């Protein structure tokens, strides 16, 4: 993902989501509780290597619901 424009963390701090204007998608990262390091665990965008999605062109922000169930 290039051109990161927005960032949101899950309420429990275990996941971080990054919106990308340039890549027209969202990347998902999982945080290691011991070190705090992030590891990419998924993405949502219109390419084969990600969960398919359309309509994310121009994404500038991302939000996580208060219960952490939806992004």
């Amino acid at each position: 993902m290039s051109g990161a424009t927005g960032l949101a963390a899950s309420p429990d701090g275990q996941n971080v989501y990054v919106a990308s204007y340039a890549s027209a998608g969202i990347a998902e990262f999982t945080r290691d509780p011991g070190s705090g390091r992030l590891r990419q665990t998924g993405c949502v965008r219109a390419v084969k290597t990600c969960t398919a999605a359309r309509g994310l062109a121009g994404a500038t922000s991302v939000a996580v619901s208060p219960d952490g169930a939806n992004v």
Side-chain angles (χ1 to χ4, degrees), residues 32-68:
D32 179 282
S35 68
R37 290 183 183 160
L38 296 175
R39 179 176 60 91
Q40 187 170 355
T41 54
C43 54
V44 180
R45 58 187 281 225
V47 297
K48 286 183 179 183
T49 57
C50 296
T51 300
R54 296 184 314 178
L56 293 172
T60 58
S61 63
V62 61
V64 181
S65 63
D67 64 2

Side-chain angles (χ1 to χ4, degrees), residues 5-11 14-19 26-29 31 61-65 71:
T5 53
L7 176 82
S10 61
Q14 292 183 359
N15 297 294
V16 175
Y17 303 91
V18 179
I26 297 171
E28 176 186 7
F29 297 86
R31 183 187 315 263
S61 63
V62 61
V64 181
S65 63
V71 176

